[in-house]
Amino acid sequence: MSYKIVDWKDCIYNNQHINTLAHSKKMNDQQINHFLISFGRTEKMAEWKPFGHGHINDTFLVRTAGNSSPDFILQRKNHYVFKDVPGMLNNIILATDHIRAKLVASGETDPDRRVMKYLSAPNGKYYVLDETGNYWTLFLFIRDSHGIEEVTNPGQAFTAGKAFGRFQLELSDLDSSSLIETIPNFHNGKFRFQQFTEAISQNSAGRRTEMQPVIDHLLNRADEMLKLQNWLDRGELPLRITHNDTKINNILFDHQNNILCIIDLDTVMPGSILFDFGDAIRTLGNSAAEDEADLSKIHFQTAYFEAFTNGYLSECSRFLTPLEKESLVYSCRYMVWEQAIRFLSDYLNGDTYYKIAYPEHNKIRTLSQLRYLEVLEENSDAMVQIVDNAW
Ligand code: ADP
Ligand code: GN1
Ligand code: MG
């Protein structure tokens, strides 16, 4: 049997962390097998393939022989982005164990399909290091599941809102001080703004002049956008445990489109629920992809926003504070602005963070996010009305 690596072939490897990813191109059966054995697994590998479309980690689906043995996901965590991988895994275990205990207590008979199950190696650690210092993790592949890249009907949007809302609810009684900040200041607007202004002044890739009009549009909104971090700094917004990467493709559904579980838990850490609500609408409320080059395709999906909000509030209205509720619509603009300055900073820095598929990818992503931000601004009043009705 031979296996062909199909992923990453279109990626441009400009940077340190992605250079080590080039290593994934050379993965072979022996290496995949080696990881299974290192994790103490006795199942026999049948086939494997690169999996998913993430910008940060390397993911492989490993199918095993026999109907009764589990399949696995082997994932190389990007330790240039996640600088404390053991700390990150500790967060994941705390969160998933907490959710699993609740599922079991409520009579769930198949909890391993309803919450991610990370596997430990015989030494008790949830990772295996390779000879070049990469961290590899193994978790159960949730069978008969699928993720979606975009929402196609309001029912899915409602389910997604409920899924992320329930995730926050389930974690609302876990002490947030027991978790580390996986990526310090991940959604800290002041920090992201500082990185942005540094990228502008350093102009390392010589792209500032070309981007000046876009830079100005984003700078003009800074005062409004820095409000969120000010509320957090002043203790006016509570720190809770949040997911922090609530793209729609981080929910797994079953064949009947019921929620199975939330995945991609690398950024689970203390944060504001506004990060999660806003980031979900960043992808789900947009009729186009985050890197759509044709800006005329970017519209607001009002019906999906309404359905998502209804689903979300059906789980969360019981614990949100008045400021959290009032700021849900603002959080959507904030998260899109933050993503725009992150993409633009990366473009100005010469594409050192996100995987890119073509040289101007980060520029197109920025323009696309800026257009979506304008669309959100145009729809702001209608969105506030929808939240009020849903409440
Ligand atoms: P990334 O950080 O690169 O987005 P993810 O952890 O989200 O990586 O995984 C990539 C894709 O793999 C997901 O979008 C999903 O389709 C699939 N996937 C991840 N975890 C599981 C799982 N436990 N069971 C089934 N599929 C999964
Ligand atoms: C990255 O790779 P992925 O899809 O999990 C990024 C998110 C961004 C997203 C943009 C750790 O997520 O913050 O919103 O790309 N994750 C990290 O698509 O930086
Ligand atoms: Mg993901």
Side-chain angles (χ1 to χ4, degrees):
M1 209 166 350
S2 71
Y3 302 95
K4 199 171 147 226
I5 301 280
V6 291
D7 250 4
W8 318 127
K9 66 181 187 307
D10 299 323
C11 288
I12 296 171
Y13 300 106
N14 263 355
N15 50 7
Q16 203 184 12
H17 73 78
I18 289 173
N19 279 335
T20 71
L21 287 181
H23 157 109
S24 305
K25 287 181 165 178
K26 299 178 214 129
M27 289 294 282
N28 59 35
D29 298 1
Q30 286 69 31
Q31 282 165 309
I32 299 279
N33 240 327
H34 159 81
F35 286 118
L36 282 190
I37 293 163
S38 305
F39 273 98
R41 305 309 308 191
T42 51
E43 293 85 355
K44 198 174 163 342
M45 184 187 81
E47 55 177 5
W48 62 275
K49 61 177 182 181
F51 206 55
H53 306 278
H55 301 343
I56 306 290
N57 294 320
D58 269 359
T59 309
F60 302 90
L61 168 61
V62 184
R63 297 244 184 232
T64 60
N67 286 339
S68 59
S69 67
D71 295 327
F72 302 105
I73 295 213
L74 175 70
Q75 194 169 59
R76 193 201 76 118
K77 299 294 185 186
N78 185 325
H79 63 280
Y80 294 95
V81 168
F82 302 105
K83 301 213 181 327
D84 177 4
V85 176
M88 168 178 91
L89 289 166
N90 192 50
N91 280 7
I92 294 177
I93 300 305
L94 283 172
T96 52
D97 281 355
H98 189 78
I99 295 174
R100 183 171 293 100
K102 286 189 173 174
L103 287 168
V104 171
S106 71
E108 171 62 53
T109 50
D110 198 0
D112 290 345
R113 293 189 82 215
R114 304 297 316 284
V115 64
M116 284 188 81
K117 173 85 175 165
Y118 270 72
L119 301 165
S120 58
N123 63 6
K125 293 189 187 341
Y126 285 88
Y127 60 86
V128 163
L129 279 171
D130 69 17
E131 68 287 352
T132 49
N134 286 304
Y135 289 80
W136 292 82
T137 58
L138 192 72
F139 42 88
L140 289 184
F141 174 76
I142 296 176
R143 63 184 188 283
D144 302 328
S145 70
H146 67 279
I148 54 174
E149 286 303 318
E150 57 173 333
V151 161
T152 50
N153 61 69
Q156 265 174 347
F158 180 85
T159 310
K162 224 175 161 51
F164 285 128
R166 188 175 302 165
F167 185 79
Q168 289 178 346
L169 178 66
E170 283 166 339
L171 294 178
S172 61
D173 58 345
L174 176 62
D175 177 12
S176 72
S177 66
S178 57
L179 273 70
I180 63 150
E181 257 192 293
T182 312
I183 300 181
N185 300 311
F186 191 50
H187 289 312
N188 178 332
K190 291 183 186 168
F191 174 74
R192 292 298 182 187
F193 185 65
Q194 186 192 331
Q195 287 187 318
F196 181 43
T197 52
E198 279 166 13
I200 298 168
S201 60
Q202 284 166 4
N203 191 22
S204 343
R207 293 166 164 174
R208 184 171 66 199
T209 310
E210 166 203 5
M211 297 309 286
Q212 196 58 53
V214 182
I215 292 172
D216 291 342
H217 280 300
L218 292 165
L219 288 178
N220 286 342
R221 288 161 167 91
D223 283 348
E224 185 202 356
M225 299 306 173
L226 296 179
K227 272 191 322 194
L228 201 163
Q229 189 57 40
N230 281 329
W231 291 332
L232 281 169
D233 291 345
R234 293 198 295 258
E236 293 168 17
L237 269 182
L239 264 192
R240 304 183 188 276
I241 295 171
T242 48
H243 183 282
N244 297 302
D245 189 7
T246 47
K247 290 202 283 201
I248 186 69
N249 63 9
N250 285 330
I251 303 176
L252 291 184
F253 298 87
D254 69 12
H255 293 330
Q256 286 77 42
N257 283 325
N258 300 309
I259 316 162
L260 283 172
C261 80
I262 302 290
I263 56 166
D264 205 348
L265 306 180
D266 300 344
T267 49
V268 169
M269 62 179 136
S272 164
I273 59 100
L274 297 176
F275 302 153
D276 283 2
F277 186 87
D279 201 32
I281 301 307
R282 189 177 72 76
T283 46
L284 179 145
N286 189 344
S287 57
E290 70 178 10
D291 59 353
E292 175 57 60
D294 179 352
L295 302 186
S296 72
K297 290 189 177 155
I298 300 175
H299 304 292
F300 187 57
Q301 307 266 31
T302 309
Y304 297 170
F305 175 73
E306 182 166 21
F308 181 91
T309 305
N310 279 324
Y312 178 77
L313 289 181
S314 70
E315 298 288 333
C316 292
S317 57
R318 67 194 91 170
F319 67 83
L320 296 190
T321 67
L323 181 59
E324 286 175 323
K325 182 230 156 184
E326 275 162 33
S327 311
L328 291 174
V329 172
Y330 159 73
S331 78
C332 305
R333 297 195 298 277
Y334 170 75
M335 289 305 293
V336 175
W337 175 82
E338 185 203 282
Q339 191 64 67
I341 64 170
R342 288 176 67 193
F343 283 146
L344 182 48
S345 302
D346 200 32
Y347 186 63
L348 295 171
N349 290 336
D351 310 310
T352 61
Y353 188 86
Y354 294 106
K355 289 178 194 168
I356 53 170
Y358 54 92
E360 298 212 315
H361 203 161
N362 275 317
K363 172 182 170 180
I364 296 298
R365 286 168 171 154
T366 307
L367 295 175
S368 193
Q369 293 292 288
L370 176 58
R371 177 61 202 137
Y372 183 51
L373 178 55
E374 291 166 354
V375 165
L376 287 176
E377 288 165 350
E378 289 155 16
N379 281 276
S380 216
D381 292 344
M383 291 166 77
V384 169
Q385 195 60 54
I386 287 170
V387 172
D388 283 346
N389 293 345
W391 193 268

